């Protein structure tokens, strides 16, 4: 038996040597003492479990004793003995709950999050699509917005955070959501909105989510191999989840309808821009192409249709571009902006409008659209840079005659009068961030609820509107006495999707008593409103060259 224990001891020492522990041969007295204590612990352990014998793994599972402190110190240092097996040795110890003073709230340590963004089948199964009036629509679904407590929130009550930073809904909504169990703090239901937030607090807000419609035009796959996927993106589709868009994005449609998952974005296109879009299938390929992007070894070619007769000769514009508003997504030429360069060449002219080839040498936000506006030839249906809000010259030569605040206000008012805030990509909630939020139920509006998903405001601002001119019902109609039982979701029976995925007539949707969007009737944009005449025609690198067909509106004989 003694030889067995000694052999097991040396096996254990050899296994620990590769883990940063210095090999230290025990003395004869140490070996005997350890063998004696190990025999006693093993026998006692087997007897306590009602075992009939001593297996060789039982002794091996017990590490040698600490040099000081006895068995109690040993168990504290090694997490206790018992239960052999390499898996238990390799497993990280469970986090111990920190002792807190009486009345103090315990906050668990933050969880280690996986690097990168990846969407699985569970994400794709959150809801489904249906098609109506030339539009792709998403059935409303329940979704968890999650975030850790921000530094500026520490020491503030949850009620105060909602009232100052998440004012898309009235406080009555958040109180009702708490009673319904939809607000959770560290995975525990929030019972009192006056709870004071601490560092590492984890917040979860379950909402009934509605997404704006996009064009029903399908995504065409241009090329696919073991390294990349290249598609022809329709206009109105964001590349990745952002703002109010999640399932109505290229990433989700490719995953749900083409089983293309875990794609890595190499470059992006604005939501309203169509054309060649490239994804990498592995991190290695993504890094390799990213290096070419940084070294400016890639060439992009766009086509657009602009107002008027564009010059026949090549035109180069190198005016710097400044971002006016990330939220609305507006830029303009300004000496304080970032340097950029675009080369333009006219392809055709039909007597009213011109088709122009655009070769951007840099990648600034809205670079092609801003440079065309500055030259006096804006894209004919550009919802931002071909608007009267820019003045009589529509921004030609950088002449605006307004401050940035006045320009933004004029743009919003022009789209509001045309009932086209949806096309602009902003909402009334986004615009009224400074309105006073009153506890009486008047909603001052701001951004969305607690949200952890990153938002690229340059390529996809939050979208949606509550326009009083659209026969929309008021958003704040919550009964302050509403309880959990009356907040159960109700589902109208029936399906609006047939075997072909098409729809006929009105679609039945989930109705949620807490959801303000369920109480609002919006005018759908027409498919024509969701198309802007700017198309990414070609994407070329050292090892590839991908090109799409010329869009119909870019044909020489095209007439609107």
């Amino acid at each position: 038996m003694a030889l067995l224990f000694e052999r097991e001891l040396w096996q254990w020492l050899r296994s620990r040597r590769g883990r940063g522990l210095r090999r230290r041969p025990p003395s004869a007295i140490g070996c005997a003492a350890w063998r004696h204590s190990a025999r006693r612990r093993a026998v006692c352990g087997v007897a306590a479990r009602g075992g009939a014998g001593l297996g060789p793994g039982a002794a091996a599972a017990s590490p040698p004793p600490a040099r000081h402190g006895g068995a109690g110190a040993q168990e504290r240092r090694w997490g206790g003995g018992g239960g052999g097996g390499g898996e238990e040795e390799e497993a990280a110890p469970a986090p111990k709950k920190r002792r807190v003073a009486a009345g103090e709230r315990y906050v668990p340590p933050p969880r280690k999050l996986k690097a990168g963004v990846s969407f699985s089948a569970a994400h794709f199964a959150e809801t489904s699509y249906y098609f109506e009036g030339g539009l792709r629509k998403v059935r409303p679904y329940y979704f968890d917005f999650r975030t850790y407590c921000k530094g500026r929130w520490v020491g503030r009550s949850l009620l105060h955070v909602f009232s100052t930073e998440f004012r898309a809904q009235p406080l009555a909504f958040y109180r009702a959501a708490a009673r319904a169990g939809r607000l959770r703090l560290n995975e525990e239901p929030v019972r009192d909105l006056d709870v004071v937030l601490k560092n590492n607090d984890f917040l979860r807000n379950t909402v009934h989510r509605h997404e704006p419609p996009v064009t029903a035009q399908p995504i065409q796959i241009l090329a696919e191999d073991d390294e990349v996927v290249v598609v022809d993106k329709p206009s109105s589709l964001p590349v990745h989840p952002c703002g109010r868009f999640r399932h109505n994005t290229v990433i989700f449609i490719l995953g749900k309808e083409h089983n293309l998952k875990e794609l890595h974005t190499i470059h992006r296109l604005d939501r309203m821009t169509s054309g060649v879009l490239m994804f990498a299938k592995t991190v290695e390929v993504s890094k390799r192409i990213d290096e070419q992007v940084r070294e400016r070894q890639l060439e992009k070619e766009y086509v657009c249709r602009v107002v008027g007769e564009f010059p026949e000769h090549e035109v180069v514009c190198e005016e710097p571009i400044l971002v006016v508003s990330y939220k609305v997504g507006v830029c303009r030429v300004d000496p304080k902006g970032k340097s950029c360069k675009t080369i333009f060449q006219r392809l055709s002219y039909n007597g009213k409008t011109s088709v122009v080839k655009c070769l951007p040498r840099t990648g600034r936000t809205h670079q092609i659209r801003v440079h065309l506006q500055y030259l006096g030839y804006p894209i004919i249906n550009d919802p931002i840079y071909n608007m009267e809000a820019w003045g009589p010259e529509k921004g030609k030569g950088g002449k605006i005659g307004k401050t940035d605040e006045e320009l933004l206000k004029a743009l919003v008012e022009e789209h509001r009068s045309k009932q086209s805030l949806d096309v602009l990509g902003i909402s009334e909630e986004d615009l009224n961030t400074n309105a006073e939020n009153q506890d009486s139920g008047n909603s001052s509006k701001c951004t969305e609820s607690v949200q952890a998903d990153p938002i690229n405001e340059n390529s996809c601002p939050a979208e949606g509107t509550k326009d009083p001119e659209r026969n929309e019902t008021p958003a704040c109609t919550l009964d302050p006495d509403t309880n959990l039982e009356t907040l159960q979701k109700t589902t109208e029976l029936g399906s609006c999707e047939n075997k072909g995925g098409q729809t006929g007539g009105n679609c039945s949707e989930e109705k949620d008593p807490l959801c303000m969007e369920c109480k609002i009737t919006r005018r759908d944009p027409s498919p024509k409103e969701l198309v802007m005449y700017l198309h990414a025609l070609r994407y070329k690198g050292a090892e590839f060259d991908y090109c799409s067909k010329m869009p119909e509106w870019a044909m020489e004989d095209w007439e609107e």
Side-chain angles (χ1 to χ4, degrees):
M1 182 64 71
L3 292 176
L4 175 63
F5 286 143
E6 190 168 358
R7 184 171 66 253
E8 297 292 349
L9 168 64
W10 284 105
Q11 289 177 356
W12 183 86
L13 284 172
R14 284 197 296 271
S15 70
R16 303 301 293 179
R17 186 167 47 184
R19 304 181 191 179
L21 297 180
R22 184 175 57 181
R23 181 180 179 183
R24 182 176 296 174
S27 63
I29 297 178
C31 280
W34 184 84
R35 287 196 299 267
H36 176 74
S37 62
R39 185 186 305 114
R40 178 174 53 81
R41 289 194 306 274
V43 172
C44 292
V46 172
R49 295 190 299 270
L54 179 65
S62 300
R67 299 190 62 176
H68 301 285
Q74 171 190 335
E75 291 185 3
R76 288 193 297 272
R77 188 169 301 176
W78 296 93
E87 292 184 1
E88 291 192 8
E89 277 192 347
E90 295 289 339
K96 296 182 179 180
K97 190 170 182 178
R98 179 176 59 87
R99 291 184 178 181
V100 295
E104 183 181 355
R105 184 170 60 83
Y106 169 71
V107 178
R111 295 171 297 179
K112 185 177 181 181
L113 302 178
K114 294 182 179 180
V117 178
S118 179
F119 299 103
S120 65
H123 297 106
F124 299 142
E126 290 168 344
T127 185
S128 58
Y129 300 113
Y130 67 98
F131 299 86
E132 186 176 55
L135 302 176
R136 177 190 291 266
K137 297 184 177 182
V138 175
R139 289 186 174 86
Y141 57 99
Y142 289 91
F143 180 77
D144 288 345
F145 285 115
R146 298 169 292 176
T147 184
Y148 278 100
C149 178
K150 313 300 181 187
R152 64 181 181 275
W153 300 350
V154 174
R156 297 164 57 185
S157 69
L158 190 56
L159 182 67
H160 187 253
V161 171
F162 280 137
S163 66
T164 56
E165 301 200 28
F166 299 99
R167 297 174 295 181
Q169 306 291 351
L171 292 181
F173 169 84
Y174 294 113
R175 290 195 174 99
R179 286 194 296 272
R182 299 187 186 182
L183 296 179
R184 303 181 73 87
L185 181 63
N186 301 322
E187 304 303 345
E188 296 292 334
V190 174
R191 302 301 183 189
D192 184 7
L193 290 180
D194 290 324
V195 61
V196 176
L197 296 178
K198 296 183 177 183
N199 190 32
N200 291 332
D201 269 335
F202 182 72
L203 302 171
R204 184 190 297 267
N205 181 22
T206 303
V207 300
H208 195 233
R209 189 165 180 176
H210 295 243
E211 296 192 23
V214 298
T215 177
Q217 182 181 351
I219 298 176
Q220 180 184 358
I221 297 180
L222 301 176
E224 180 183 0
D225 55 29
D226 294 336
E227 293 190 340
V228 299
V229 176
V230 185
V231 303
D232 188 353
K233 181 187 92 69
S235 182
S236 78
L237 268 178
V239 175
H240 51 73
C242 60
R244 295 184 66 197
F245 294 89
R246 180 172 171 85
H247 288 265
N248 262 348
T249 59
V250 176
I251 287 289
F252 266 68
I253 294 174
L254 290 179
K256 291 162 73 82
E257 297 184 352
H258 299 273
N259 200 33
L260 293 170
K261 304 173 183 177
E262 299 185 3
L263 300 178
H264 302 265
T265 304
I266 295 175
H267 67 111
R268 297 179 180 132
L269 296 176
D270 289 341
R271 184 173 67 89
M272 296 299 291
T273 303
S274 60
V276 177
L277 182 63
M278 189 174 178
F279 296 94
K281 288 189 173 181
T282 65
V283 176
E284 293 73 18
V285 175
S286 177
K287 290 181 179 179
R288 187 177 75 233
I289 300 180
D290 282 343
E291 183 63 28
Q292 298 180 34
V293 173
R294 286 191 294 269
E295 297 295 329
R296 296 190 176 180
Q297 299 176 358
L298 302 183
E299 297 180 12
K300 301 177 184 179
E301 181 179 326
Y302 293 75
V303 291
C304 63
R305 184 171 284 276
V306 302
V307 174
E309 183 179 4
F310 198 85
E312 289 186 310
H313 60 83
E314 181 178 276
V315 176
V316 179
C317 186
E318 297 183 90
E319 297 295 329
I321 293 178
L322 178 71
V323 176
V324 174
S325 170
Y326 287 102
K327 179 174 292 184
V328 182
V330 178
C331 304
R332 61 176 173 82
V333 167
D334 191 280
K336 296 179 292 185
K338 294 182 178 180
S339 61
C340 47
K341 178 180 180 180
T342 314
I343 301 173
F344 298 101
Q345 299 172 357
R346 194 181 87 179
L347 299 179
S348 64
Y349 175 61
N350 65 1
K352 295 181 180 180
T353 59
S354 304
V355 176
V356 179
K357 180 169 70 174
C358 316
L359 303 173
R361 298 312 186 199
T362 52
R364 307 303 182 196
T365 302
H366 295 177
Q367 175 177 321
I368 293 174
R369 299 161 66 183
V370 174
H371 276 174
L372 285 171
Q373 180 200 46
Y374 180 85
L375 295 173
Y377 304 96
I379 297 173
I380 62 175
N381 57 353
D382 193 318
I384 295 179
Y385 301 102
N386 190 23
M387 305 295 290
E388 300 294 337
W390 293 88
E393 298 293 324
K394 292 188 176 180
K396 181 179 179 179
K399 298 177 182 179
I400 302 174
K402 300 176 182 177
T403 65
D404 290 346
E405 292 76 12
E406 292 171 342
L407 172 62
L408 292 174
K409 184 177 179 180
L411 277 171
V412 170
E413 290 301 325
E414 185 172 353
H415 276 282
R416 182 183 284 124
S417 66
K418 297 179 180 179
Q419 298 188 8
S420 57
L421 281 176
D422 288 342
V423 178
L424 185 60
I426 60 174
S427 66
E428 295 279 359
E429 292 90 337
D430 294 327
L431 301 172
N432 297 320
T433 56
N434 295 324
E436 182 181 0
N437 186 21
Q438 299 179 2
D439 199 2
S440 60
N442 295 328
S443 172
S444 65
K445 305 171 179 77
C446 185
T447 55
E448 286 190 292
S449 303
V450 179
Q451 181 170 351
D453 291 343
I455 299 178
N456 187 324
E457 292 181 330
N458 294 343
S459 62
C460 178
E463 180 167 325
T465 178
K466 290 184 177 61
D467 194 327
E469 298 180 6
R470 291 197 184 182
N471 190 27
E472 297 175 346
T473 60
C476 308
T477 57
L478 284 181
D479 181 358
D481 296 326
T482 303
N483 56 33
L484 178 60
E485 286 72 24
T486 62
L487 290 174
Q488 298 302 319
K489 60 184 179 182
T490 59
T491 305
E492 299 179 6
L493 298 178
S495 172
C496 59
E497 183 175 1
N498 58 27
K499 294 181 181 179
Q502 301 299 320
T503 64
N506 294 328
C507 175
S508 61
E509 299 177 349
E510 278 190 343
K511 302 294 183 180
D512 183 274
L514 260 184
C515 180
M516 304 308 171
E517 288 287 329
C518 287
K519 300 177 175 66
I520 297 174
T521 301
R522 300 185 187 277
R523 179 189 69 87
D524 284 337
S526 67
K528 183 179 179 180
E529 290 179 288
L530 296 179
V531 176
M532 183 176 68
Y533 297 156
L534 176 61
H535 182 83
L537 185 66
R538 189 179 186 185
Y539 200 57
K540 181 180 179 181
E543 304 170 352
F544 58 84
D545 188 354
Y546 300 110
C547 185
S548 72
K549 294 181 179 180
M550 189 75 78
E552 182 180 353
W553 50 260
M555 299 300 180
E556 187 173 353
D557 57 350
W558 177 86
E559 291 185 5
E560 189 171 6

